[in-house]
Amino acid sequence: MTHPPRHLADLALAERRAAVTELGEKPFRADQLSRHYFARYTDVPQDMTDLPTGLRATLAAELLPRLLTPEKELTCDNGATRKMLWRLYDGALVESVLMKYPDRVTMCVSSQAGCGMGCPFCATGQAGLTRNLSTAEIVAQVVAGERTLTAESAPAAAPTATSRISNIVFMGMGEPLANYKNLIGAVHRLSDPVPSGLGISQRSLTVSTVGLVPAIHRLTEEKLTVRLAVSLHAPDDEARDELVPVNRRWKVAEVLDAAWDYAAATGRRVSIEYALIRDINDQPWRADLLGSLLKGHLAHVNLIPLNPTPGSKWTASRPGVQEEFVRRIASHGVPVTVRDTRGREIDGACGQLAATVTGRSVGPARKAGSHLLPLA
Ligand code: SAH
Ligand code: SF4
């Protein structure tokens, strides 16, 4: 198997300096290149006017290869939500979403092309895993988002709360903790200050996991301050075994124990993700069980109305049922919100957007299985 081309975002700053030295150049050239990429979001040699003309193309070719080619772009919510489909060097497709709010900008990124976890309600899960993304392929999605924001703002305008990406969620395609090493690399590149990285606070990054217990423990040991989201979807093993097949390996109790360890180590509230599926996991007793499991822990429940995949037998809960579910969780003193469904009206929504391009689509390309949705 070949690898994506080496990119400076795969390397720590010291490694970039070493790479530049190997090319016969002074180490500070690595810092200059890094500033172009992480502060100006450019990889175009002509933009690099602080580098000798003869050197620009060589260094860019060595350390700033283009990793993402735009394949398709869709906007909705009057341009506030923008979904991007990217083609990688080997033809694999991944999606990311940029969501603008009045006071912040959230970017949802993919960590893998496809996903091997097989959750039956998820469009990405149904297509299986193509491959892990490299650290630089993850980071490049965010840099592309920053570039879009910069292009949209007036050149001389003073920076505002929405002129840069403020939050990043690893809720696009893939299971981030199944691509552990490259995920950790990406967290560092996104959060390290310029010129090492993009300088986005770790506290503003959310890693969402299906519940890979050993990897959650490992993440706890990293001593990072990223937020952890756990996709629980059921408080009992019977339902979770079906909705989240990895539950057959790591049960609800083990997943929650790992989450509480993470919360204790970081002091950060864990977000419990729960896609509400009509008559499958939305019964009042399940809300009560969930509330009692989470009560007294550093947790917050984020309910997601199911976005059905084409041909799926499952659909979202009835509104009254959803409200009752919220009410019951809250009655245990557990904070709960319902995720907004931004971006859903886009035809060929996420997961499906990739499927339509590869011809894997099995149904009409609309409202399909998107999980690239913002946190509430
Ligand atoms: N693999 C990771 C992160 C990507 S999925 C995880 O599972 O946590 C991001 C979120 O979208 C998860 O909470 C996932 O369960 C949810 N999701 C996936 N498909 C969905 C759908 N069709 N409707 C609503 N939420 C969905
Ligand atoms: Fe993978 Fe997450 Fe989809 Fe499950 S919900 S198949 S873990 S992307």
Side-chain angles (χ1 to χ4, degrees):
M1 209 173 92
T2 59
H3 291 285
R6 178 186 68 169
H7 188 282
L8 65 77
D10 289 313
L11 309 173
L13 189 57
E15 297 168 323
R16 288 172 223 160
R17 289 180 185 143
V20 167
T21 311
E22 261 173 45
L23 295 168
E25 297 302 326
K26 293 259 164 36
F28 78 94
R29 298 294 181 202
D31 298 55
Q32 289 177 305
L33 279 180
S34 301
R35 277 199 180 81
H36 284 297
Y37 191 64
F38 289 121
R40 301 180 196 100
Y41 319 124
T42 184
D43 52 13
V44 179
Q46 298 88 286
D47 294 344
M48 304 180 186
T49 49
D50 56 348
L51 288 165
T53 328
L55 204 55
R56 293 176 200 167
T58 321
L59 287 182
E62 286 288 341
L63 285 161
L64 289 168
R66 260 299 151 86
L67 299 173
L68 309 178
T69 309
E71 178 77 24
K72 200 164 171 175
E73 197 172 296
L74 297 167
T75 57
C76 66
D77 305 315
N78 290 323
T81 305
R82 183 189 294 260
K83 298 195 179 194
M84 293 167 270
L85 177 67
W86 303 106
R87 186 173 288 276
L88 309 180
Y89 87 103
D90 57 354
L93 296 169
V94 293
E95 301 168 13
S96 45
V97 189
L98 190 64
M99 292 159 287
K100 286 196 241 173
Y101 297 88
D103 59 340
R104 68 187 194 280
V105 181
T106 299
M107 178 117 203
C108 177
V109 296
S110 294
S111 55
Q112 299 181 309
C115 182
M117 299 297 143
C119 306
F121 57 88
C122 169
T124 306
Q126 276 147 49
L129 176 67
T130 303
R131 69 169 170 86
N132 282 334
L133 300 194
S134 65
T135 290
E137 285 172 328
I138 299 171
V139 173
Q141 297 169 58
V142 179
V143 170
E146 296 280 26
R147 207 177 275 145
T148 301
L149 289 177
T150 310
E152 282 174 355
S153 60
T160 65
T162 57
S163 51
R164 281 202 62 192
I165 291 169
S166 29
N167 299 81
I168 297 167
V169 296
F170 288 86
M171 293 191 177
M173 297 173 120
E175 165 53 39
L177 295 187
N179 182 15
Y180 191 85
K181 190 168 150 281
N182 295 346
L183 167 79
I184 298 298
V187 166
H188 287 298
R189 275 333 91 69
L190 296 172
S191 60
D192 287 352
V194 175
S196 289
L198 275 167
I200 299 171
S201 160
Q202 271 184 23
R203 299 184 67 83
S204 312
L205 313 184
T206 300
V207 173
S208 179
T209 179
V210 71
L212 306 184
V213 168
I216 297 175
H217 288 313
R218 217 174 143 191
L219 187 68
T220 307
E221 298 299 311
E222 302 280 347
K223 307 276 179 251
L224 303 170
T225 58
V226 299
R227 181 187 284 277
L228 181 68
V230 172
S231 297
L232 199 67
H233 306 313
D236 56 304
D237 288 318
E238 195 186 348
R240 196 167 192 266
D241 278 348
E242 185 182 2
L243 295 175
V244 181
V246 297
N247 194 69
R248 293 169 203 161
R249 182 100 175 261
W250 296 292
K251 299 293 178 199
V252 170
E254 283 178 273
V255 173
L256 289 180
D257 277 349
W260 307 148
D261 282 350
Y262 188 84
T266 57
R268 301 219 60 190
R269 197 171 286 278
V270 174
S271 181
I272 302 294
E273 308 293 303
Y274 198 109
L276 273 176
I277 312 176
R278 185 181 297 185
D279 300 332
I280 300 292
N281 65 355
D282 64 353
Q283 300 82 355
W285 71 266
R286 285 202 159 93
D288 284 330
L289 180 56
L290 182 64
S292 63
L293 289 176
L294 305 188
K295 191 182 170 68
H297 290 285
L298 208 50
H300 164 268
V301 178
N302 193 30
L303 296 172
I304 319 163
L306 184 81
N307 195 8
T309 54
S312 166
K313 52 184 194 273
W314 290 330
T315 186
S317 302
R318 290 174 188 85
V321 171
Q322 180 176 304
E323 280 157 25
E324 175 68 4
F325 206 88
V326 170
R327 201 189 58 72
R328 287 194 181 234
I329 293 171
S331 75
H332 291 264
V334 176
V336 50
T337 47
V338 179
R339 196 192 287 191
D340 79 23
T341 50
R342 183 89 85 86
R344 266 202 195 182
E345 73 267 33
I346 293 183
D347 274 2
C350 301
Q352 187 66 9
L353 188 55
T356 51
V357 170
T358 54
R360 283 200 310 262
S361 174
V362 289
R366 46 183 283 276
K367 292 184 180 173
S370 168
H371 58 78
L372 303 189
L373 298 171
L375 295 164

